[in-house]
Amino acid sequence: MTDYYKLVTEKKQEQSELDKRMQADVDLLYLNKYVLRDSADKAVPDIINITLNRPAVFGANVVASIGNAKQQVVVESDDKKIDTHEVESFLDAAMATANRRLWKEKLPLLNPFADVQFCFRGRTARRVLLYQKDGKTVVNIMPWDGRYVYDLGDSAMAYQTLRTKAEIERDYGAKIALKVSGIKDIPVLDVWDKTHNEVWVQNFVALEQGHNYGFTPVVSHTVLLGYGPMLLDKNWQKHDGESIFFMIRDIVPELNRLASILQTLNMNQLKAALQYKNPEGSPQDEPPERPQMGDVVSVGKGAIEPINLGEARVAAQMLYTIMEKAFQEGSYTDIDIGNVQQPFSAVALVTIGENKDMVYMPRLAAKELLNVATAEMLVEQALQIGGSIELGAPGHKRSFNTAKLQGEYSINYKYFVKSPKIDIARMSVAEAAQKWYPRRHIYSDVLQVEDPDGMMRDWSRQEAGQLSMGVKMHRIIMDLLEQAEKNNDEEAAREAQIMALELGLTLDQVRSGQLPEPQPEQEPGEPLIPLLGEGGQVGGLSPSKVASNLRRTPQPERTIKGG
C-alpha cells in the first residue's frame, strides 16, 4: 500500500521554494507591515516605516475584473443528433447545484474561489463528486487551495488543511478526535486516487473508503505564466504558475523603502538633529556613533545650526520616477484605475486595454480549462449513474436524461471582459474601419463582440425590416400576438388583427407563414392601399372583404383564451 503521508512530506520539501514565493505574495496582498533593513538584514532604528497599499489595490482590481467577466458555456459537435443545448443546460444546472451546496456550508463559490486562486497562487484544484444518495442527485464539488495541493504521481492527488479538534470530531467522530494532540491547527490530509480515498489526521489514517469512478475525481490547472516548466533549472517549481505579482514582487518593497526614507527625512526636518560648538566640552560630550532624530551634538564653540542632509530628496525623486514606471509596467496604470483626468484618443485607449489584457487573460484561460475539466468529469459521472437525474435549486429543478449526454462533442467556456471606456474607443475605430473592412471583420476583430455571427444575423434582420415594410409589419404582428397571448392583452390582439388585414391575411395565415398575394401593378403615383376609403371602403378594402376577413380571423378574446 502506498504511503501517501510520506509522499506528501517529500513533496512539501520539493516545493519549498514555491511555498516561499506564495508566502511573499500573501504578504504583499495583506500589506504586511514593511520594516526598513540594512545590508545585514537588521532593522534600521529610528525610521518612520511606510507600507503602501499598491499591491492590495492592484489585486482587488484584477480579481474584480475577472469576476465581472461574462461566462458562456458552449457545446459544439459535428453530430447533428446531439442536443448541444441540453448538454449546456445540464452543465449550468450541475454547477448551480454545486454552488448552492457550498453556499449553504458558508464556503466560497466555485468561480470566485478560482479567480482568487489563479491571481495569487497561480493554480488551484477541485474534487468533483456527482452521485446519488437516498434517491437524490448530489453534486459535491470542493475547491482546493493550490498552495496545499500535492500531485503524488500515478493520478493520486492530496490536499492538506488545518482544522480544530472540534471540527475533527464533527467530521470523523469522537474516537478520532481523542487520538489527536492539540486543539487547533491539526493537519488533515485528504488523498484521492483511481480506486479509493483516505484521510490522514496528523500522522494516522482516520478514514478509508473505496469508489467506483475508475479515475481520480480531482481536476487541477496551473496558469501558463512563468518559465519554470520550460527552463528546468534547480528549483524551477518556484517559477511555475506565476501570480499577478510576479513582475512587481521586488518593486513593491523598494517603493516602501523609498516612502519610508522620504517620510523619515520629513520627520528629521520637523525634529532636526542639531549641532553646537563647545571647545570646553568634556569626553561625555562626544557625538554618538550615528546621530539620531532630535539629537544635539557638541562640535565646539559656535551657534546652534541644523545638520546638512544633502540632496537626498532630489535623488529620491529620480528614483521614484524610475520605480513608478516599473510598477505600472508590471501591473495596472493610473488610467486603468481612473486616476487620470486628461482625455485620450480612441487608439490610445484601445492600446491601453490590450496591455491590461496581458494581466488577466492568462487567468481567464486557466479558469476556462479548469471549468472544462470539471464539466467533462461531471458528464462522465452522470453517464455512470444513467437514467434520469434531477438537478437545480428548489423551485427550479428539472430532470435530465443522461442518454442525451452521450456522444462526441467539445465543451468550451468563453469569457468576455468588457469596459465601457474601451468599448466606446473601439466603436470610434470601427467607424473609421467600415470604409475598408467588411462588417463581419469589424464585429470580430475591431469591436471584439462575444458572438460576431449572431451580430451579423441580427444586423441582417434589422436591415430587412428597414428595407421591407412587409417584413417590418410581419415582425410587429408576431410581437403583438406574443404580447396578447402572454399578457392577455386584447388591445395588442386587436392591433395585430388590423395589421394582418392591411397585408390581406388572417392571423392564422400570418402564424403559418403564408405570404400575401402579389398586388397588381399600380398606376404611377397610385398608392398600394388608398389613404381614404371610397364608396364605403374601409382602409382601402371593400366592406365585403373586411367582413370576410373578420369571419376567417378569430376574435381577440377567443384567440387569447385559445392560447
Side-chain angles (χ1 to χ4, degrees):
M1 183 177 178
T2 305
D3 188 346
Y4 285 126
Y5 184 82
K6 180 181 178 182
L7 287 178
V8 169
T9 303
E10 294 172 353
K11 201 70 176 179
K12 286 182 180 179
Q13 182 62 32
E14 179 184 328
Q15 297 179 182
S16 60
E17 291 298 316
L18 174 62
D19 189 74
K20 290 179 182 178
R21 187 203 86 187
M22 291 185 178
Q23 184 59 52
D25 290 341
V26 169
D27 291 341
L28 289 176
L29 176 65
Y30 290 143
L31 302 180
N32 195 41
K33 295 302 180 183
Y34 174 78
V35 176
L36 193 147
R37 298 180 180 276
D38 60 19
S39 58
D41 200 32
K42 293 182 179 179
V44 179
D46 208 24
I47 292 293
I48 309 299
N49 291 300
I50 301 295
T51 305
L52 299 174
N53 68 341
R54 302 290 293 275
V57 172
F58 175 43
N61 273 280
V62 176
V63 171
S65 294
I66 294 178
N68 287 333
K70 296 181 180 179
Q71 175 176 289
Q72 180 183 10
V73 57
V74 179
V75 176
E76 297 175 318
S77 176
D78 293 333
D79 187 349
K80 302 301 181 182
K81 296 180 181 179
I82 294 177
D83 187 349
T84 57
H85 178 70
E86 183 71 2
V87 180
E88 293 169 357
S89 298
F90 163 78
L91 294 174
D92 286 339
M95 291 291 196
T97 304
N99 275 325
R100 179 173 175 79
R101 180 186 180 90
L102 293 171
W103 167 69
K104 292 182 70 175
E105 294 181 5
K106 299 181 180 179
L107 295 173
L109 303 186
L110 295 174
N111 277 338
F113 188 93
D115 294 341
V116 171
Q117 288 286 301
F118 286 131
C119 283
F120 306 119
R121 304 295 200 205
R123 69 207 65 227
T124 191
R126 291 171 180 168
R127 184 207 63 205
V128 183
L129 304 177
L130 189 150
Y131 55 91
Q132 287 193 316
K133 182 179 181 181
D134 299 330
K136 297 182 179 180
T137 303
V138 178
V139 186
N140 184 355
I141 304 178
M142 183 60 63
W144 286 1
D145 186 338
R147 184 177 180 180
Y148 307 105
V149 175
Y150 305 97
D151 186 343
L152 305 180
D154 196 25
S155 300
M157 299 290 291
Y159 179 49
Q160 187 173 74
T161 55
L162 298 176
R163 304 190 194 179
T164 65
K165 191 169 186 177
E167 290 172 334
I168 290 174
E169 182 174 352
R170 179 197 65 195
D171 294 338
Y172 306 108
K175 290 183 180 180
I176 300 298
L178 290 173
K179 295 182 181 181
V180 302
S181 60
I183 60 173
K184 65 177 183 177
D185 295 338
I186 301 167
V188 176
L189 190 65
D190 190 15
V191 184
W192 290 81
D193 60 20
K194 295 178 182 178
T195 60
H196 82 297
N197 162 233
E198 59 186 56
V199 177
W200 292 69
V201 176
Q202 286 186 338
N203 58 355
F204 63 90
V205 177
L207 174 67
E208 189 170 6
Q209 57 185 351
H211 65 76
N212 298 319
Y213 292 124
F215 53 83
T216 303
V218 176
V219 298
S220 63
H221 198 71
T222 301
V223 174
L224 299 178
L225 198 62
Y227 306 111
M230 290 167 280
L231 301 176
L232 300 178
D233 300 314
K234 185 178 179 180
N235 293 323
W236 64 267
Q237 293 90 347
K238 179 180 179 181
H239 305 287
D240 181 25
E242 279 286 6
S243 74
I244 62 172
F245 294 142
F246 85 107
M247 288 189 289
I248 60 170
R249 195 175 288 126
D250 295 328
I251 294 295
V252 172
E254 292 304 318
L255 284 170
N256 288 335
R257 182 199 299 270
L258 180 58
S260 300
I261 291 172
L262 292 177
Q263 185 67 338
T264 302
L265 287 173
N266 289 334
M267 193 64 184
N268 271 315
Q269 287 289 343
L270 180 65
K271 190 180 180 182
L274 305 175
Q275 62 184 6
Y276 71 98
K277 295 180 180 180
N278 182 13
E280 307 299 331
S282 57
Q284 62 265 29
D285 292 324
E286 293 180 0
E289 181 179 347
R290 181 180 181 84
Q292 299 298 314
M293 189 183 301
D295 279 352
V296 178
V297 181
S298 172
V299 295
K301 187 175 182 180
I304 296 177
E305 57 185 34
I307 297 176
N308 183 13
L309 297 175
E311 297 298 326
R313 285 187 178 82
V314 176
Q317 182 62 44
M318 296 173 62
L319 180 61
Y320 173 78
T321 302
I322 295 171
M323 289 195 297
E324 178 66 20
K325 183 176 184 294
F327 182 90
Q328 294 201 27
E329 286 175 342
S331 63
Y332 272 6
T333 66
D334 286 337
I335 300 170
D336 297 325
I337 58 179
N339 287 344
V340 177
Q341 301 299 324
Q342 70 184 78
F344 287 87
S345 69
V347 174
L349 286 172
V350 171
T351 303
I352 292 166
E354 289 173 347
N355 290 338
K356 187 173 65 174
D357 288 347
M358 292 187 292
V359 175
Y360 52 72
M361 291 310 292
R363 322 288 155 187
L364 289 175
K367 183 178 177 180
E368 175 186 355
L369 294 176
L370 178 71
N371 279 332
V372 168
T374 304
E376 291 177 348
M377 189 166 287
L378 287 171
V379 169
E380 192 166 353
Q381 292 174 344
L383 289 173
Q384 290 179 357
I385 295 174
S388 179
I389 59 177
E390 189 178 59
L391 297 173
H396 301 281
K397 290 186 176 181
R398 58 161 295 189
S399 295
F400 293 90
N401 185 354
T402 56
K404 293 185 177 182
L405 303 179
Q406 294 179 343
E408 293 187 358
Y409 49 84
S410 64
I411 302 173
N412 296 290
Y413 280 84
K414 296 183 178 180
Y415 297 93
F416 304 92
V417 180
K418 288 296 184 180
S419 165
K421 184 187 298 183
I422 302 301
D423 283 348
I424 292 173
R426 292 190 187 280
M427 290 176 189
S428 298
V429 176
E431 187 174 359
Q434 65 182 351
K435 178 180 178 181
W436 308 101
Y437 294 103
R439 182 171 293 272
R440 175 65 171 75
H441 173 82
I442 292 175
Y443 281 146
S444 61
D445 295 344
V446 181
L447 294 176
Q448 298 184 6
V449 299
E450 300 175 17
D451 182 11
D453 292 329
M455 288 288 285
M456 280 297 299
R457 289 192 297 269
D458 291 343
W459 177 80
S460 298
R461 286 176 54 83
Q462 177 181 324
E463 286 292 289
Q466 291 179 351
L467 295 174
S468 171
M469 181 57 67
V471 170
K472 187 174 184 179
M473 291 178 67
H474 178 267
R475 290 180 185 169
I476 295 174
I477 291 171
M478 297 304 293
D479 289 341
L480 289 171
L481 288 175
E482 182 180 359
Q483 181 179 342
E485 293 170 358
K486 284 186 177 180
N487 305 323
N488 199 27
D489 190 336
E490 296 182 6
E491 189 68 24
R494 188 176 298 109
E495 291 173 357
Q497 187 177 12
I498 292 172
M499 294 192 72
L501 289 174
E502 292 180 359
L503 287 176
L505 298 173
T506 66
L507 291 180
D508 286 339
Q509 289 172 331
V510 173
R511 287 193 183 96
S512 65
Q514 183 171 332
L515 299 177
E517 296 179 2
Q519 297 296 323
E521 201 171 312
Q522 303 295 311
E523 294 295 330
E526 180 183 352
L528 181 63
I529 300 177
L531 295 178
L532 298 175
E534 298 178 4
Q537 292 183 351
V538 178
L541 300 175
S542 66
S544 60
K545 180 67 173 178
V546 174
S548 174
N549 271 324
L550 289 174
R551 283 195 299 270
R552 288 181 291 157
T553 303
Q555 295 303 306
E557 294 80 7
R558 294 179 184 176
T559 302
I560 295 165
K561 291 179 180 178

